[in-house]
Amino acid sequence: MFDIKPVNTDFDNEIQHKIDTKTKPLGALGDLETLALQIARVLGKDKPQISNPKMMVFAADHGIADSGVSIAPSEVTTQMVVNFMNGGAAINVFTRQEGFDLEVIDCGIVKPLENVEGVINQRLGAGTGPIHKRAAMTLGAVKQGFEMATARVELHHQNGCNLIALGEMGIGNTTSAAVMMAALTGMKGEDCVGRGTGIDAATYKRKKMLVEQALLLHHSELNDPMQVLACVGGFEIVQMTGAMLAAAERNMLIVVDGFIASAAALAAVKINPNVRDYMIFAHQSGEKGHYLMLEFLQAKPLLKLGMKLGEGTGAALALPLIQAAVNFYNEMASFEDAGIDI
């Protein structure tokens, strides 16, 4: 479905030499040096630039939320999307701070928005099916979600964007992401389930039970990533997955937010492993299974702040570090340039 080329590593020695001969001790900028190498591989070795970066926040509801797996009801998804559009959420604060262009996409919240301007309509339905009772959606809906996400990424690409960051909003989506994680990694369901935004012990116990129930119900169909998305995914997770694959196909950098976005990244890597080369993992969230997911993806996140908000907030906070990696690579003098003998 996606023609994603592996990044070109032919110039790695040249790129690394440029990094190593900057006016600093060898390796002194730590993970920024690794990040600079990755960016130069994707955007070009001579003078890579971040162009028109876009924060894409995907919102949808989950049928399993009605079974009490979160601190909030599904209606809060709609209310938070309105908050996004009014500029009052954490993601608005951080994107304004960074000059990061933000768009919000309705992938299928239960209550359609009325009289709210600016939300992108890419609805696949009014919330998914309850995954512990039936499939979240059809395979056709997954493919439609990929097509919608691809069209959106293509629009940004045509407008000169070469970096997208992905966030989400959807009550109950940590449950869906946990089931996806177990299905795609082979880990035990209980190791993938966290407390989301802060559920109590009784709710946590019920959440783990429903995750196991979903895994058992769909067991025979969880050997294919597309079927995993259809059986236990979310409308927003599907479109994040499609956006990642589409961005990599267009040689764009992908900034992955927290646990939910990483579940989408995991699905994308299972569909086409080459997409992994284009991914920058913003942070390790406070969600229980996220560090295991990052380890599975062989990803070292840029930040570890104990955050578990979602919305793309970690990805927004990572943008200055990404820009710093680009800037030192392009602007920092070499020992030869500075006339420093070593």
Side-chain angles (χ1 to χ4, degrees):
M1 290 182 293
F2 295 90
D3 181 20
I4 301 172
K5 296 177 175 60
V7 294
N8 186 355
T9 59
D10 291 346
F11 300 102
D12 277 11
N13 288 339
E14 183 180 340
I15 295 167
Q16 192 63 55
H17 178 74
K18 184 173 180 178
I19 292 170
D20 290 345
T21 55
K22 299 292 185 181
T23 48
K24 59 176 181 57
L26 196 66
L29 288 177
D31 292 341
L32 285 181
E33 298 190 14
T34 306
L35 181 57
L37 173 62
Q38 180 186 7
I39 292 169
R41 283 172 171 173
V42 175
L43 300 184
K45 64 182 176 63
D46 293 330
K47 197 166 185 180
Q49 299 288 344
I50 303 299
S51 173
N52 297 330
K54 178 72 71 169
M55 170 67 71
M56 305 174 74
V57 177
F58 299 81
D61 276 308
H62 293 251
I64 200 167
D66 293 338
S67 296
V69 293
S70 178
I71 61 172
S74 291
E75 289 79 9
V76 171
T77 304
T78 299
Q79 292 165 3
M80 281 302 299
V81 171
V82 173
N83 192 28
F84 295 157
M85 304 317 295
N86 290 335
I91 189 59
N92 300 103
V93 174
F94 296 158
T95 52
R96 279 196 300 266
Q97 173 182 303
E98 308 303 339
F100 208 164
D101 192 30
L102 168 67
E103 72 173 14
V104 181
I105 301 166
D106 176 5
C107 304
I109 59 180
V110 168
K111 184 180 179 182
L113 293 164
E114 297 178 359
N115 303 318
V116 180
E117 293 184 3
V119 179
I120 309 300
N121 183 354
Q122 295 191 171
R123 292 175 60 80
L124 295 171
T128 60
I131 59 175
H132 60 303
K133 296 179 180 179
R134 61 179 186 272
M137 69 194 81
T138 65
L139 191 58
V142 175
K143 294 176 180 178
Q144 183 184 2
F146 278 14
E147 290 169 2
M148 288 176 165
T150 297
R152 199 73 202 160
V153 170
E154 173 61 17
L155 175 65
H156 298 323
H157 179 63
Q158 290 295 328
N159 289 330
C161 171
N162 64 6
L163 178 150
I164 61 166
L166 301 109
E168 42 61 43
M169 178 64 215
I171 300 300
N173 62 9
T174 58
T175 305
S176 182
V179 181
M180 285 183 58
M181 177 182 171
L184 293 168
T185 65
M187 297 180 194
K188 294 179 180 179
E190 63 182 354
D191 294 332
C192 304
V193 184
R195 291 182 179 262
T197 49
I199 55 178
D200 60 23
T203 305
Y204 184 44
K205 183 178 179 180
R206 180 165 60 251
K207 183 177 180 179
K208 289 192 288 186
M209 179 188 71
L210 293 177
V211 164
E212 294 296 346
Q213 193 172 325
L215 287 167
L216 183 61
L217 176 65
H218 303 289
H219 175 73
S220 63
E221 297 186 82
L222 298 181
N223 56 357
D224 173 81
M226 294 290 287
Q227 287 290 358
V228 169
L229 286 166
C231 290
V232 300
F235 292 146
E236 81 281 36
I237 298 174
V238 163
Q239 293 199 37
M240 280 194 290
T241 303
M244 292 176 187
L245 291 162
E249 187 176 41
R250 288 156 180 78
N251 211 59
M252 300 165 71
L253 291 166
I254 304 156
V255 186
V256 182
D257 189 44
F259 185 60
I260 319 301
S262 296
L266 184 59
V269 169
K270 288 289 185 177
I271 291 168
N272 190 321
N274 290 338
V275 70
R276 175 64 183 82
D277 294 341
Y278 299 83
M279 292 176 173
I280 298 169
F281 289 82
H283 75 127
Q284 180 182 316
S285 81
E287 184 68 3
K288 175 183 173 182
H290 195 209
Y291 81 95
L292 291 173
M293 193 185 291
L294 291 171
E295 283 188 354
F296 187 88
L297 287 163
Q298 296 182 310
K300 186 173 184 180
L302 297 178
L303 298 166
K304 185 179 178 182
L305 300 172
M307 294 169 59
K308 47 187 175 183
L309 179 58
E311 302 180 9
T313 47
L317 291 174
L319 182 62
L321 296 178
I322 296 168
Q323 192 63 63
V326 171
N327 289 347
F328 100 74
Y329 181 84
N330 289 335
E331 300 173 17
M332 191 174 175
S334 68
F335 286 109
E336 182 180 359
D337 294 335
I340 298 173
D341 295 324
I342 56 169

